[in-house]
Amino acid sequence: MVAALENELQDRNTARAVAAWIFDIGFDWTPAAAPISEFDFLIAYAFGNRPPANGGDPAKVLAEPGPMNELLADVVARIRTKRTMTVYAQWEIAHFLKTKYNMSQVIAIDPVIAEDGTITYLSTDGVAAQVAEQRKSNPGGLGTAGVVGWRDHIKRCVLTTEGRGMTALAPEGFTMPDTYDPESGQPWTRRRDLYLVHDMNAQWGMMRTELISRMYPNG
């Protein structure tokens, strides 16, 4: 990769730097992980949904949680059979944790609903920000999060959680789901190849921000 870039750019130093970033974003999809005994709490990030039932206006009618989020809820449930801890779950996952598993210690992270009823769904960072806000008064600090997320989303979930000041790791020994829903209400979560492009685009945005901050901390 470095040789190909150097040939194209005629600049070995730049090629080496850019190749490392391309490898990180394009070829490494596995987050750091740890045993669940190291976690203070879990964060479960949703993946896709289904359009509102009965053809409701998606701007003002809540989406259906969808089968992919049920699979994510199943992972949370498996973890909770091994260790009980508080779960901060995006509402699509929290729905199944409560209705399917009757699980306690679940804090749902809901979308923002304006006074006129317009729904704004939270981004991955929006969910992380909500959790950090809720935990900021915790006597022990923000703590260490065990992150549950879609197989192709979880690396970014971990990085985003860390970006909000929490230590974040995937749970060792638990396989994340990766079967895409062609009926998802979010087009980029209907098929894997398209989602990978979507996620890489998001990771590039995160890396751009981090690199500018690191290289030019004073602006």
Side-chain angles (χ1 to χ4, degrees), residues 41-60:
F41 59 98
L42 296 175
I43 302 180
Y45 290 91
F47 194 81
N49 50 41
R50 282 279 180 90
N54 303 317
D57 179 0
K60 294 192 175 181

Side-chain angles (χ1 to χ4, degrees), residues 34-40 42 79 82-83 85 171-172 174:
I36 60 174
S37 59
E38 296 188 16
F39 303 150
D40 298 309
L42 296 175
I79 295 171
K82 305 295 184 182
R83 180 163 179 244
M85 61 188 114
E172 284 183 355
F174 294 88

Side-chain angles (χ1 to χ4, degrees), residues 4 29 34 50 68 70 75 89 113 158-159 162 176-177 179 200 202-203:
W29 294 87
R50 282 279 180 90
M68 294 192 290
E70 183 172 6
V75 175
I113 302 178
V158 167
L159 294 174
E162 290 177 337
M176 299 297 150
T179 304
M200 285 188 284
Q203 287 187 62

Side-chain angles (χ1 to χ4, degrees), residues 1 5 16-31 151-157 159-160 192-211 214:
M1 189 187 301
L5 280 170
R16 289 169 64 92
V18 173
W21 301 333
I22 292 172
F23 185 86
D24 177 37
I25 289 174
F27 293 85
D28 183 2
W29 294 87
T30 304
R151 167 65 181 86
D152 300 323
H153 183 211
I154 190 170
K155 174 191 171 185
R156 182 158 60 91
C157 292
L159 294 174
T160 302
R192 194 175 197 187
D193 51 2
L194 178 56
Y195 179 73
L196 293 176
V197 172
H198 170 87
D199 200 278
M200 285 188 284
N201 179 64
Q203 287 187 62
W204 277 118
M206 293 168 64
M207 180 170 283
R208 172 185 177 277
T209 299
E210 191 275 330
L211 288 173
R214 173 153 50 89

